[in-house]
C-alpha cells in the first residue's frame, strides 16, 4: 500500500510541471495579442460563459415543461364529464406544466361561450411561450455579436501591424509585425468559436421550444373538442 502511495505521489510530482506548463501556455495564448487582444478575448470568454449558462438553464426549463402524464387529458375528461371541476383544477395544479396551466385556464372559463374559452386559452398560451423563450434571444444576439467582436480584433490587429510597419519606415521584419497579426488571428478564431457555440445552442432551444408549443396546441385542441362533445 505504501509503495502504491509512493508511486502515485511520484506521478503527481512529474505531472505537476506539465499541468503548470499547459496553464501558462493557455494564459500566454490569451495575453500574447497585447492589451487590446487580451481585452477582446476577455469579452468573448464572458459572452461564452453567458451563452453556456443560458443554454443549460433554458434547456432544463424546457425539458421540465414538456413532462406531463400521458393520461392527463383522459383524467381531465373524466372529471369534467362527471362535473368534478374542482378535481380537474386540482389535477392541473398538481401537474404544474404549460399544458396543465392552459387546461386550468379553460376549465375556469367553462360556462362561457366557446369563443371566450378559446381566446382565454390562446392568451394564456402566449404567456407560456414567452416564459419558455425567456433569454433565448440573447443567444441569438451573442451568436451575431461574437464574430463581429472577433473581426473588430482583426481590424485592431492589422492596424497595429501596419502602424509598426509605418514606424519602421516600411522595412520592419516579421517579428515586429507578428504581434498585430497574432491579435488579428486569435480574436477572429475566438469570435467564431463563441458565435458557433451560441448559434447551435440557440437553434437547439428553438427546436425544443417548438415541440413544447406543439404539445400545448395539441392538448388545447383536445380540450376544446371535449367541450364540444354532446353531453
Amino acid at each position: 500500500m505504501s509503495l502504491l502511495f509512493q508511486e502515485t505521489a511520484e506521478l503527481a510530482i512529474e505531472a505537476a510541471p506539465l499541468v503548470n506548463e499547459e496553464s501558462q501556455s493557455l494564459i500566454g495564448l490569451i495575453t500574447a495579442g497585447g492589451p487590446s487582444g487580451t481585452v477582446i478575448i476577455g469579452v468573448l470568454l464572458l459572452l461564452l460563459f453567458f451563452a453556456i449558462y443560458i443554454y443549460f438553464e433554458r434547456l432544463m426549463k424546457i425539458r421540465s415543461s414538456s413532462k406531463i402524464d400521458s393520461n392527463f387529458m383522459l383524467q381531465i375528461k373524466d372529471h369534467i364529464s362527471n362535473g368534478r371541476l374542482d378535481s380537474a383544477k386540482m389535477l392541473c395544479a398538481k401537474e404544474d406544466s404549460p399544458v396543465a396551466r392552459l387546461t386550468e385556464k379553460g376549465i375556469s372559463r367553462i360556462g362561457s361561450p366557446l369563443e371566450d374559452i378559446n381566446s382565454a386559452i390562446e392568451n394564456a398560451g402566449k404567456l407560456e411561450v414567452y416564459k419558455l423563450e425567456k433569454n433565448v434571444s440573447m443567444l441569438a444576439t451573442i451568436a451575431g455579436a461574437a464574430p463581429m467582436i472577433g473581426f473588430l480584433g482583426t481590424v485592431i490587429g492589422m492596424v497595429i501591424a501596419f502602424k509598426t510597419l509605418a514606424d519602421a519606415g516600411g522595412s520592419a521584419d516579421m517579428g515586429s509585425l507578428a504581434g498585430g497579426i497574432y491579435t488579428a488571428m486569435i480574436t477572429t478564431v475566438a469570435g467564431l468559436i463563441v458565435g458557433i457555440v451560441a448559434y447551435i445552442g440557440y437553434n437547439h432551444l428553438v427546436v425544443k421550444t417548438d415541440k413544447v408549443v406543439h404539445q400545448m396546441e395539441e392538448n388545447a385542441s383536445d380540450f376544446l373538442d371535449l367541450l364540444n362533445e354532446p353531453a
Side-chain angles (χ1 to χ4, degrees), residues 2-49:
S2 59
L3 180 60
L4 178 61
F5 285 150
Q6 183 179 355
E7 292 178 353
T8 303
E10 290 176 355
L11 290 174
I13 292 173
E14 292 176 359
L18 296 176
V19 174
N20 188 40
E21 184 178 349
E22 290 179 357
S23 300
Q24 289 178 353
S25 63
L26 179 60
I27 295 174
L29 188 68
I30 295 174
T31 58
S36 57
T38 302
V39 170
I40 291 176
I41 293 294
V43 172
L44 290 172
L45 288 175
L46 188 63
L47 291 177
L48 179 62
F49 169 78

Side-chain angles (χ1 to χ4, degrees), residues 33-37 153-167 176-177 179-181 183:
S36 57
T154 302
V155 174
I156 292 175
M158 296 310 296
V159 168
I160 293 173
F162 281 109
K163 179 66 166 57
T164 303
L165 184 62
D167 291 342
S176 302
L177 301 176
I181 296 174
T183 299

Side-chain angles (χ1 to χ4, degrees), residues 22-229:
E22 290 179 357
S23 300
Q24 289 178 353
S25 63
L26 179 60
I27 295 174
L29 188 68
I30 295 174
T31 58
S36 57
T38 302
V39 170
I40 291 176
I41 293 294
V43 172
L44 290 172
L45 288 175
L46 188 63
L47 291 177
L48 179 62
F49 169 78
F50 278 120
I52 294 174
Y53 171 79
I54 292 171
Y55 171 76
F56 283 106
E57 188 272 333
R58 286 291 89 194
L59 183 62
M60 289 187 290
K61 177 65 177 178
I62 292 171
R63 282 182 175 176
S64 64
S65 298
S66 64
K67 293 179 180 178
I68 189 169
D69 188 354
S70 58
N71 296 320
F72 174 73
M73 288 307 299
L74 293 177
Q75 297 178 56
I76 290 294
K77 180 178 180 180
D78 179 65
H79 288 317
I80 293 177
S81 299
N82 292 281
R84 300 192 298 267
L85 299 184
D86 290 339
S87 298
K89 290 181 179 179
M90 290 178 61
L91 178 61
C92 292
K94 181 181 178 181
E95 285 292 333
D96 189 26
S97 67
V99 169
R101 285 190 285 271
L102 293 187
T103 304
E104 184 178 11
K105 178 65 69 173
I107 294 172
S108 65
R109 294 293 191 276
I110 289 180
S112 302
L114 194 60
E115 292 183 359
D116 293 344
I117 298 176
N118 187 28
S119 178
I121 292 177
E122 287 182 355
N123 292 333
K126 292 177 182 178
L127 181 60
E128 293 297 334
V129 172
Y130 172 78
K131 291 178 180 178
L132 290 174
E133 294 178 343
K134 181 181 178 182
N135 293 330
V136 174
S137 60
M138 290 185 65
L139 281 179
T141 302
I142 294 174
M148 294 177 66
I149 294 173
F151 292 144
L152 174 63
T154 302
V155 174
I156 292 175
M158 296 310 296
V159 168
I160 293 173
F162 281 109
K163 179 66 166 57
T164 303
L165 184 62
D167 291 342
S171 60
D173 58 12
M174 286 303 298
S176 302
L177 301 176
I181 296 174
Y182 180 84
T183 299
M185 295 298 100
I186 193 65
T187 54
T188 300
V189 171
L192 290 174
I193 290 175
V194 176
I196 291 170
V197 170
Y199 181 76
I200 293 174
Y202 170 77
N203 282 282
H204 185 242
L205 291 180
V206 168
V207 172
K208 290 289 187 180
T209 302
D210 287 343
K211 289 182 179 180
V212 178
V213 171
H214 176 72
Q215 185 184 54
M216 291 163 55
E217 292 174 347
E218 183 179 7
N219 281 270
S221 178
D222 291 342
F223 177 77
L224 293 174
D225 290 342
L226 172 62
L227 298 182
N228 278 324
E229 291 181 359

